[in-house]
Structure formats: structure tokens, C-alpha cells
Amino acid sequence: MDDDAVAEYVEDARSTIEAAPQMDEANTKAAILQSFLTLLDWKIPENTQLEYSVKAFGRTYKVDYALVLEGTPVAFLEAKGVDTPLNDDHEEQLSSYMSNKNVNYGILTNAEKYRFFQRRVTGSEVSVRRVGTADLEALEDRSTLLEAYTKDDIESGEGREKLERINELREAKGKLETRKDELARELVEVLIEEVSGSIASLAESESKELIDRLVTEIEREIDSGQNERRDPEGTETLRDRYSDRNDSTGTEYLIAFANGDDLIAEFRGDQQAETFVEAVDYLVREHSIVSKIGEFPYIPGRTRPILHEGASTDGIEMVQPREITGGYYVETNLSSVQKRREIDRLVDHYDFTVEFDGDW
């Protein structure tokens, strides 16, 4: 899944919604959701049928979009208007459509909220389960889930494998959370028996933290498919390159400005937003980025400002503004992909480059 393409879709959709927050279903489909289908590589009319007939509850209904391979629907997308909150009845409606047509993939959305479903057959039992949810902005952090619903993944069978992996991880996460105390005790007993009773107190303090870390890593893989946080062996990382400046704090996020191999400035921390703000503040303070941007407010492809002289403009408020040098404000309510993209855009005004390390 192309991160830039997802980010562009999110930006365009958010701008459209903010301009018309009470869009009905017809306008939502035309203005936003056809682009969502394109993002997943489904094209009208090549492999997408509109208003596909399906029987449910003794009547014939129309599914908004049937995604078709070799003449057979393999996924349904049921659309609601931005003006319509999703509810359980909508889920039941989509589940019935999927069950009646033996369709294994389903998406329910009103363009702001996205719910993803899978039809599963276990022995004689057939069920439709929700496998994931996301707000519009969160789509940028749901690459694995989105990929599972692309044309290529459904056609190749990889989509099914990815969803099964997500289901397995969710079940594992649930067991770790509900049996945390029991599992921690068992882990301590094994370590005492196999290693030494002298480590009992250390094992007790670490066992629950280990389970918490496992839950965090499972959540990471469910969201983004990243089940390996280390770089491949032999790959030089940003931290390696500037190791003489590195410390032992174990920070998660790093932004570095460099001219070739020469480090100009770096910003590190265990909070993504803090690191982002420090980097923007540096560009304002040391490189006069304000004069490079031109007219304020700075709104690159959005309807709310990213950088401005105040926390609002024309009645549009920043969601999480942070004040920086010179009395300027920077928006921090951005996904990781958006933060990276905004830094990239700002650095485009200079000859030096930017690199990122950590969980961006």
C-alpha cells in the first residue's frame, strides 16, 4: 500500500468533509468513496458494479458497490452519507448481504468511519465478523488492513491470509490482557525452576512488563503490519550513522537534518508530537521557514492550518495547537505519516535533507 496515496486520499476526503459536513449518501459516494475504491485498485465499471442486487430478509436490496472478479462478487462496500452515523443495523445489513452471496470481504463506511468485515467458514459454522475499524485519519496507520481489501490481495489470496493473521493476533492480545496475572505467575515459576530462585524478585517485576510490551507489539502489527522493529542486518540506520551523538535513553523518535554526511541538527524524544514540534521550531528559529512559506496561514492541501500566527483562522480552530518561537502555532493533531510529510514539505525549501528513525 502506497503511504503517499493513502495520505493524499485522507487529505482530500477531510477537506471535502469539512467543506460539506452534512453530505448525503449520493454526494458522499460521488465526492469521496469512488476515490476510496480507486485507492484499493477497484475500478468502475471494469471490476466494480454499482447497485448490485442481493436478497436478504425476504426482499431484494441493492448493495452500493460489488467488487467483482471474473464475473463473481468477492467484496461488498456499503456506503452511508457523511450525515449518517454508522450503527449496528448497518452492520447487520452488510453481514446479511455477504452471507446471502457467499462474499468474504465487506466494508461499511460513511467516509469518516470505516468498518471492515470478513466472512469466515469454520466447519459447518458460517459467520461474518468485524476485523477492524478506523477513523478517516487512522487509515494512514492501517496499511495491512487496507491492503487486504485491494484487488491484488483479494485475487491472490493474500488478503485472506492477512485477515487471518489479524484475527490470530487479536485473539492472542485478548488472552494476554485477560490472563495477564496468571501468565505472569507461570512465567516466573518457569524461570525460577529452570534458572534460579535468586531471580524471583526480578522476574516478578519484569514479567508483567514483558506481557505489556507484547500487547504493544501486537497492536503495532495489527495496525501497520510491522512485526519487526529492527532494521535488516547490515543496514545502516540513522542512529548508527550518528552514533557518536546517540545516548542510552532508548528514545523512539528521531528527526535529523543533514547536508550529505554532515549532521546539521537532530531532535529525539519518546513523544512523536514533541519531536515534530521541536523540528518545526528549529526551522522557524534557525532557518526562517516563515519567510520561505509565504502567505499565512500555511495550509498545504488542508482546510485547517498546519502553521499559523494564531491557533485559528476564519473560525477554523487547530485541533491540538502548540506555540513555538515567535508566537507561531503548529498543529500536532496529525498522523505519523502526516507529520513526516509536513517536515518533508518544509525542508524542500532548503538544500539540506531530512531523515527519520523510529516508529514513524
Side-chain angles (χ1 to χ4, degrees), residues 11-23:
E11 278 196 11
D12 291 345
R14 176 52 61 196
S15 297
T16 303
I17 291 169
E18 290 179 353
Q22 293 301 316
M23 269 190 297

Side-chain angles (χ1 to χ4, degrees), residues 290-317:
V290 171
S291 65
K292 301 283 187 182
I293 291 173
E295 185 178 354
F296 264 25
Y298 174 59
I299 309 178
R302 303 181 65 88
T303 57
R304 59 189 169 99
I306 300 300
L307 185 62
H308 192 36
E309 297 164 312
S312 65
T313 178
D314 296 330
I316 301 173
E317 298 281 343

Side-chain angles (χ1 to χ4, degrees), residues 234-245:
T235 301
E236 184 185 40
T237 67
L238 186 56
R239 297 179 194 274
D240 294 334
R241 190 175 308 153
Y242 304 128
S243 59
D244 58 321
R245 293 175 175 264

Side-chain angles (χ1 to χ4, degrees), residues 142-153:
R142 299 290 193 275
S143 59
T144 302
L145 192 57
L146 282 176
E147 283 176 354
Y149 289 81
T150 61
K151 174 181 172 293
D152 286 347
D153 268 29

Side-chain angles (χ1 to χ4, degrees), residues 51-62:
E51 301 297 319
Y52 185 86
S53 296
V54 58
K55 290 184 178 180
F57 310 112
R59 296 174 54 189
T60 299
Y61 294 85
K62 300 288 187 179

Side-chain angles (χ1 to χ4, degrees), residues 284-295:
V284 170
R285 187 179 68 251
E286 301 295 334
H287 293 275
S288 304
I289 188 61
V290 171
S291 65
K292 301 283 187 182
I293 291 173
E295 185 178 354

Side-chain angles (χ1 to χ4, degrees), residues 57-301:
F57 310 112
R59 296 174 54 189
T60 299
Y61 294 85
K62 300 288 187 179
V63 181
D64 292 299
Y65 300 98
L67 313 183
V68 178
L69 292 175
E70 298 181 354
T72 302
V74 293
F76 286 152
L77 187 150
E78 183 65 16
K80 303 300 175 185
V82 173
D83 62 350
T84 303
L86 302 183
N87 59 41
D88 292 343
D89 288 341
H90 299 148
E91 290 196 14
E92 184 179 355
Q93 178 187 23
L94 177 58
S95 296
S96 296
Y97 295 164
M98 294 171 63
S99 296
N100 276 275
K101 284 295 184 178
N102 297 329
V103 166
N104 292 330
Y105 300 85
I107 302 173
L108 171 67
T109 179
N110 63 0
E112 282 201 298
K113 307 286 185 181
Y114 297 76
R115 300 181 183 178
F116 299 85
F117 299 85
Q118 181 188 25
R119 174 180 171 272
R120 303 178 70 185
V121 180
T122 306
S124 60
E125 180 184 353
V126 179
S127 62
V128 175
R129 301 182 185 180
R130 189 199 300 182
V131 293
T133 61
D135 293 338
L136 174 61
E137 278 74 15
L139 289 177
E140 296 183 66
D141 299 318
R142 299 290 193 275
S143 59
T144 302
L145 192 57
L146 282 176
E147 283 176 354
Y149 289 81
T150 61
K151 174 181 172 293
D152 286 347
D153 268 29
I154 289 180
E155 191 168 23
S156 67
E158 289 185 25
R160 178 183 56 77
E161 294 176 3
K162 287 175 181 175
L163 294 184
E164 291 300 328
R165 175 67 175 169
I166 288 174
N167 287 326
E168 291 172 358
L169 289 170
R170 282 221 171 86
E171 290 176 5
K173 176 175 175 286
K175 290 178 181 179
L176 287 170
E177 290 175 329
T178 57
R179 298 178 55 199
K180 177 178 176 179
D181 292 341
E182 175 191 349
L183 292 171
R185 286 194 300 270
E186 291 179 2
L187 179 58
V188 171
E189 290 173 2
V190 170
L191 290 172
I192 290 173
E193 181 178 346
E194 297 294 331
V195 182
S196 170
S198 64
I199 65 169
S201 59
L202 289 173
E204 288 171 2
S205 64
E206 292 292 332
S207 58
K208 290 185 179 180
E209 291 186 19
L210 171 62
I211 293 173
D212 289 338
R213 288 196 295 273
L214 279 172
V215 169
T216 298
E217 291 302 313
I218 288 171
E219 290 172 344
R220 183 193 309 278
E221 183 175 347
I222 288 173
D223 288 345
S224 64
Q226 297 175 353
N227 60 356
E228 179 55 73
R229 299 178 62 185
R230 299 179 181 84
D231 291 275
E233 186 176 354
T235 301
E236 184 185 40
T237 67
L238 186 56
R239 297 179 194 274
D240 294 334
R241 190 175 308 153
Y242 304 128
S243 59
D244 58 321
R245 293 175 175 264
N246 206 354
D247 54 32
S248 57
T249 59
T251 52
E252 288 287 336
Y253 305 103
L254 176 62
I255 299 174
F257 299 131
N259 189 352
D261 291 332
D262 296 327
L263 179 67
I264 298 174
E266 69 173 7
F267 309 91
R268 62 176 69 241
D270 55 7
Q271 297 294 321
Q272 190 182 85
E274 294 292 336
T275 310
F276 171 73
V277 170
E278 288 178 7
V280 175
D281 185 77
Y282 169 79
L283 292 174
V284 170
R285 187 179 68 251
E286 301 295 334
H287 293 275
S288 304
I289 188 61
V290 171
S291 65
K292 301 283 187 182
I293 291 173
E295 185 178 354
F296 264 25
Y298 174 59
I299 309 178

